[in-house]
């Protein structure tokens, strides 16, 4: 099955299962060869990543290419390797703070 970003029409993806000490550069490196416009790591109150990030690409074509990285390993600086889930998202998710009740 081909996954598309057309449901939202926005070049934004959500990443899950990131390590607590994930860095923006590691997320950018995860999408090697695809230009990333912005990365937002979702942080816990103490400053660590809560395992989620939102990534904005230049266009929906690049975001669709990036979806192919779903279930691929992220080799973190810590030496840990984790399998990352990549799904389509939207600016609505990007701006919300998932740690605060709505």
């Amino acid at each position: 099955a081909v996954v598309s970003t057309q449901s939202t029409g926005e070049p934004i993806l959500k990443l899950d299962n990131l390590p607590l000490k994930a860095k923006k550069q590691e997320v950018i490196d995860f999408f090697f060869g695809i230009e990333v416009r912005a990365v937002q790591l979702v942080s816990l109150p103490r400053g660590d990543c809560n395992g989620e990030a939102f990534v904005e690409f230049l266009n929906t074509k690049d975001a669709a290419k990036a979806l192919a990285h779903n279930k691929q390993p992220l080799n973190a600086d810590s030496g840990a390797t984790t399998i990352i889930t990549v799904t389509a998202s939207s600016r609505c998710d990007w701006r919300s703070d998932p740690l605060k009740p709505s």
Side-chain angles (χ1 to χ4, degrees):
V2 175
V3 181
S4 162
T5 61
Q6 291 181 356
S7 60
T8 64
E10 298 181 66
I12 296 172
L13 301 180
K14 180 183 178 188
L15 279 61
D16 285 301
N17 201 37
L18 290 168
L20 290 177
K21 299 294 184 188
K23 299 177 186 135
K24 286 184 179 183
Q25 189 59 50
E26 291 172 333
V27 172
I28 292 167
D29 293 345
F30 180 69
F31 293 111
F32 180 79
I34 304 170
E35 193 164 348
V36 171
R37 177 178 285 165
V39 174
Q40 178 191 51
L41 295 173
V42 182
S43 299
L44 296 168
R46 67 178 181 262
D48 290 338
C49 178
N50 79 344
E52 297 177 339
F54 294 93
V55 182
E56 183 175 13
F57 297 89
L58 294 180
N59 53 55
T60 54
K61 184 179 174 185
D62 284 349
K65 281 195 275 185
L67 277 170
H69 289 78
N70 186 36
K71 302 292 183 186
Q72 296 298 310
L74 172 87
N75 298 313
D77 287 346
S78 65
T81 300
T82 57
I83 302 300
I84 305 303
T85 303
V86 182
T87 54
S89 189
S90 70
R91 184 147 321 275
C92 179
D93 291 332
W94 179 285
R95 290 183 178 154
S96 67
D97 183 351
L99 298 175
K100 293 180 182 172
S102 46

